[in-house]
Amino acid sequence: MQIALPTALALTADPIASLIDTAFIGHIGPVELAAVGVSIAVFNQVSKIAIFPLVSVTTSFVAEEDATKSLSIEADDSGVLEMGYAVNQEMELEDLVPQVESTCKSSLIPSSYRKTDVRRQIPSASAALVIGSVLGIIQALFLIFAAKPILNYMGVESNSPMLKPAQQYLTLRSLGAPAVLLSLAMQGVFRGFKDTKTPLFAILVGDVANIILDPIFIFILRMGVSGAAIAHVISQYLISLMLLWRLIKEVDLLPPSINDLQIGRFLKNGSMLLVRVIAVTFCVTIAASLAARQGSTSMAAFQVCLQIWLATSLLADGLAVAGQVGLVLGLVLSAVLVVVLQFAPRLFTADVNVLQLIGVGIPFVAVTQPINALAFIFDGINYGASDFAYSAYSMVLVSLMSILCLFILSSSHGFIGLWIALSIYMSLRTFAGFWRIGTGMGPWRFLRD
């Protein structure tokens, strides 16, 4: 729980920040709320394509590299002790320890892991920062120059009142993409060190800054949705700077050579996770696009429900992967949301029509929490078994089936059809994860014995 709880809180911090943005923007008007909803959906889904493989692979590689080199040092220490006693068994321990430390600091510790001012040298950490920075810049340029056609694809037509505020918000928030990817890469490094408190602290400081800046930029300076985007970007760069300052104290970020970065290893191992994330991203993006095509009222309501759904689901995700307590948490979240969300919607908007649709989506947000938690539990177990290929291909199949349900149910049942389809989507994810383990296939063959 010491590792899992800070991780879970850190995972939910950004969706909560987006939820706070949504609450402030909702009081500008329903059109602005809907516009920002589309923009946030686009930004989040594009980010996830890079974020999940980057963070997961970084955490794994850093943990592996740090543990391997630490064990190597411990083995060297043990060898020196045995050698010292063999030379002179009557040597006092206090006389031996300085000799051991002197030897360990010289030839026995691998040069690639010698500490400089107590800093570790982890090439995987350096590689993660390089890749995160490059991906962030690419994402920013892509979203800035392609904002209008992407929004058109999402259902925001050229004559729609949502287009101008949506384009403003997406363009400005895209400036923070390098900070987002860089900070998430550094979070992966800290998690590899089993340090989940440092990222949590930085994220909380950034989110508090976002909460303070939102009303200043939106209402006092009268910048509207642009002010919300600028506040969010400032908070992301603040998080990145705090993490970088802390990381520089622990890690020597200059690797011995370019070859030590092992960029190819990152790309190879991240490819399977990338396939999976694209499948998940495409499914949720299609849902947001279909909501936008139903009009600003439907999109505004969908945005509020989706942000609540994502925030609570990611809390279950963070705990389930590390602690396997997700099912209990899912039931608790479900009960809490049923009660709290009866009164919470007015925090986001005063529009009667939007409130009515939010009331339709709330039961689905609440009831699916245990299902979501189970899905994340099985995802975590399969990741632990390195069953990445099955995770990727099964998610592609699940997404294709869910997208078909989205088109059929949204056309026949409108807004409620979207949430029925998303509930089916999470149920299929749960079944796919359980089926692999329950049938004893792949790395689970031993269960049949």
Side-chain angles (χ1 to χ4, degrees), residues 45 48-50 52-53 272-282 395:
Q45 301 314 316
K48 284 179 183 177
I49 292 176
F52 188 79
M272 284 297 176
L273 290 177
L274 181 62
V275 171
R276 189 178 191 280
V277 172
I278 290 174
V280 174
T281 297
F282 198 64
M395 183 53 66

Side-chain angles (χ1 to χ4, degrees), residues 70-93:
S70 297
L71 289 172
S72 176
I73 290 176
E74 291 176 6
D76 288 336
D77 288 350
S78 176
V80 174
L81 284 171
E82 291 176 3
M83 178 181 65
Y85 279 112
V87 172
N88 187 353
Q89 294 182 357
E90 295 179 358
M91 183 180 292
E92 294 292 336
L93 182 59

Side-chain angles (χ1 to χ4, degrees), residues 17 34 49 54 57-58 64 164 186 212 220 231 254 267 279 285 297 306 333 368 378 397 400:
I49 292 176
L54 177 62
V57 172
T58 298
E64 176 187 340
K164 184 177 179 180
M186 288 187 284
I212 294 172
I220 297 177
L254 293 176
L267 299 178
T285 304
T297 300
L306 182 66
L333 285 174
T368 53
F378 292 125
L397 181 60
L400 289 174

Side-chain angles (χ1 to χ4, degrees), residues 261-376:
L261 291 177
Q262 299 180 8
I263 300 296
R265 186 180 178 219
F266 266 83
L267 299 178
K268 179 182 178 181
N269 286 272
S271 60
M272 284 297 176
L273 290 177
L274 181 62
V275 171
R276 189 178 191 280
V277 172
I278 290 174
V280 174
T281 297
F282 198 64
C283 185
V284 178
T285 304
I286 289 292
S289 175
L290 292 172
R293 294 174 192 277
Q294 293 177 9
S296 60
T297 300
S298 179
M299 184 60 220
F302 183 80
Q303 161 66 5
V304 173
C305 292
L306 182 66
Q307 290 303 318
I308 295 172
W309 195 60
L310 289 175
T312 52
S313 294
L314 283 174
L315 178 60
D317 187 8
L319 288 176
V321 170
Q324 309 305 342
V325 295
L327 179 57
V328 175
L329 179 67
L331 293 170
V332 171
L333 285 174
S334 182
V336 170
L337 289 177
V338 167
V339 176
V340 173
L341 292 184
Q342 299 300 320
F343 311 98
R346 291 189 178 275
L347 294 173
F348 301 96
T349 182
D351 188 277
V352 177
N353 295 325
V354 175
L355 287 171
Q356 185 178 1
L357 279 182
I358 291 175
V360 173
I362 282 174
F364 292 96
V365 173
V367 172
T368 53
Q369 291 306 312
I371 299 173
N372 296 353
L374 285 173
F376 296 137

